[in-house]
Amino acid sequence: MTADAQVDVIVVGSGPSAVNAAYPLVEAGFTVRMLDVGNRDTTYEKLIPDAGFSELRRTDAQQYRYLLGDEFEGIGFGHTGAGAQLTPPRQYVCKDTERLQPIASQSFFPLQSLAEGGLGGAWGAGSPPFSKADLAGFPISLEDLQPHYEVVADRIGVSGARDDLMPFLGAQFAMQPAVEIDSNAEAILRRYATHRGSLNRTGLFLGHPRIAMLSRPHRGREANRYRDMDFWSDAGKSVYRPRWTLDELRAFPNFSIVSRRLVRTFEERADGDVVVHAANVDGGGTEQHRARTLVLAAGTLGTTRIVLRSLGLFDRRVPIVCNPHSYAALLDLNTLGQPVRDERHSMAQFCLVHAPEGHLRPFTVGHFYSYRSLLLFRLMKDNPLPFRESLTIMRHLAPSFGVLILQHQDHPTADKHCSLVASDVGEDRLAVSYDLSVREQAQIDAIEADIARGLRRLRCLKLKTMRPGHAASVHYAGTLPMSAKDEELTTDKHGRLHRTRAIYVADGSVFPSLPSKGLTFTMMANADRIGCHVRSTLRA
Amino acid sequence: MVATSRPRTIAAAAPHEDAALLRHEAVWFARYLVDAIPEAALVERYVQANARLFAGPPTAGDAAILAFLHAHPWTLALLDAGTAFAHGAPLLRQKLVVMMAILEATPDFVDQTSQVDGVGLPLLAWRLGRAGAVAALKLVTGTALAAVVTRGTR
Ligand SMILES: Cc1cc2nc3c(=O)[nH]c(=O)nc-3n(C[C@H](O)[C@H](O)[C@H](O)COP(=O)(O)OP(=O)(O)OC[C@H]3O[C@@H](n4cnc5c(N)ncnc54)[C@H](O)[C@@H]3O)c2cc1C
């Protein structure tokens, strides 16, 4: 067992929440040590040429290695579940999690990460801020978050437009102009523009998404090059990855990162220090790290494990929430047989909001993706036609094909909980039980039926709805919710774990519920807010 | 957005005696999908992929279909159609997906496997209609053939 020199703050994790919690502390001159497992892609990144998708498909003889994977891990046959869109070059984000972060569940199979940058190494970069309505039930307000949204929007680079979605998505001053959209989305938005009034009256609104992807060069990163390579490669760094912030942090002498460490427990000592116990995942030994304050940002499920284990609360149930998720396969009749532009990015092309009761009441948000760079064989796999004809049909329809990803709001109920189960051999398992009530499912079905009707008016035909399972949105939250009450296993409004002195939680664990939006941008803003709060307590 | 999960099982290599059959499959499948004879490297890639992805023993139904195919390669199109609606993912269809993926990730076949746009509505309708009609015919005949081939295995 080794002990390292004391630092001001230890941050656990290197994902979106960790790097954004660390930033204000490092900037202020405090010594910050990041402890992380830090898996990386050592195989594929270097193989992918700096070229557009169409070009490399024509020219690169090695493409099969990264498109299919050296172990053919890009060809899967199972159920379309969490992480369905992870291409071989992105799959490193989940490496080792089955072994080191086992889950026991009948219904909830989450994606977890032990990678440098966490799941942020593969995320879709959708970055809508929460609105006032979205924050109902949180002990913090939009005003609390607003300055941190600004700071983080500048740090990570968010693009978007001030369009019909303003009341639902808001905007930051730092927001860059929207990235260009593809021919498919353009045709749908044109049709929306001609039917705007009537569609808005039914509660349907369309516009540009907020994406952490650059339309202008920023902080040493390039604007998107519209090469449709965003699912495969980070060349140009247009899409935000926590690694970019980590690179900035590494330039500070008061910041250090210790990789290959799996944090197991923390304890608060009588002398006021926090001691963190971590295992070396390569060597197997354990070591102690000392700090004045600990910030946990190991992802909701990772942090929950560390907290329950540290407090010895095995088998104790905590709530969990996760946006129910569905994919609707759409055919855009507006573009059938039409020429389409080759230049495009691969992320969400437009955002759809279903808000029959207006922006002050809960509403549902969806993102539309066109389909190309994920390859045709994946579409054909699920198509019950003879393959030869399927290939002809798919080649002709795919330019007009799209996927609308809907994420529904989620609130804690008695049927959604998890607990840590001790294990004699191997790692403790996180047992998760998650079920939607009949009422919740009926609400989802009604919303989706309503959206399908609106889509038909936009000449988008819904071909099929896929429900990839409860954990598939990869938006996990609510296990250690912020609460005004001083209760065990909750956090205060600054993310401090109640009944501790200096243990803070900066990831999704602290969100009491989830609106119908990706949580990560808000989580990063909240992590920055928590980092700023820790900074002022350390100064005091 | 629509791909998924991990290979079912991982094996070290294809059993030697199977490799010759797998090489035949690779050629039949490529000819069926894109009207071309694949290079030796692609054939070997197909053999490797089979070893990685399909290490477990096939079900009785899958084995019957594959045995019939190996004896009568000309029935491939019908067996493919005949298993398209089968419960679970039939092994023959999974193998076709693998060959399709390999072809799609090869520059030589980019023209046969890329999206086609800008053909105009009339030509699009004609091509889709023709493919749909052929598919329907194959589905009817293929379903009957697959039922006969797998008789006694269920
Ligand atoms: C394909 C995909 C698309 C997504 N798209 C979007 C989107 O468009 N919008 C959106 O809002 N969200 C999206 N998400 C979700 C988003 O990625 C997560 O919400 C976000 O990454 C969570 O950040 P985090 O920092 O809390 O945790 P994570 O990203 O999970 O990072 C956890 C970090 O903690 C470390 N760690 C864990 N346990 C330990 C331990 N015991 N000891 C040491 N280190 C540890 C890991 O190594 C890792 O660095 C997507 C996710 C995926 C997979």
Side-chain angles (χ1 to χ4, degrees), chain A residues 12-18 35-38 83 85-86 101 111-120 122-127 261-264 297-300 302 306 369 473-475 507-508 518-521 523:
Chain A
V12 181
S14 68
S17 52
L35 299 177
D36 183 36
V37 176
Q85 63 278 63
L86 291 185
Q101 300 184 306
L111 272 196
Q112 301 172 88
S113 182
L114 291 171
E116 186 176 286
L119 294 170
W123 78 317
S127 297
R261 300 299 184 274
L262 184 74
V263 170
R264 311 202 65 88
T300 295
I306 296 169
Y369 291 73
S473 65
V474 203
H475 298 163
D507 55 31
L519 77 164
T520 311
F521 183 46
M523 198 181 70

Side-chain angles (χ1 to χ4, degrees), chain A residues 460-477:
Chain A
C460 282
L461 210 61
K462 186 167 93 175
L463 304 174
K464 185 176 175 184
T465 299
M466 283 161 283
R467 297 195 194 284
H470 288 319
S473 65
V474 203
H475 298 163
Y476 313 125

Side-chain angles (χ1 to χ4, degrees), chain A residues 165-213:
Chain A
L165 301 188
M166 275 294 283
F168 309 99
L169 304 186
Q172 284 67 54
F173 292 111
M175 190 167 80
Q176 296 197 341
V179 283
E180 283 166 33
I181 56 176
D182 68 8
S183 314
N184 219 354
E186 244 171 38
I188 299 171
L189 284 183
R190 258 201 311 274
R191 177 136 179 107
Y192 167 74
T194 56
H195 293 75
R196 175 183 277 117
S198 59
L199 284 165
N200 289 174
R201 275 192 295 282
T202 66
L204 207 68
F205 301 82
L206 261 59
H208 289 267
R210 306 285 184 269
I211 324 185
M213 180 163 79

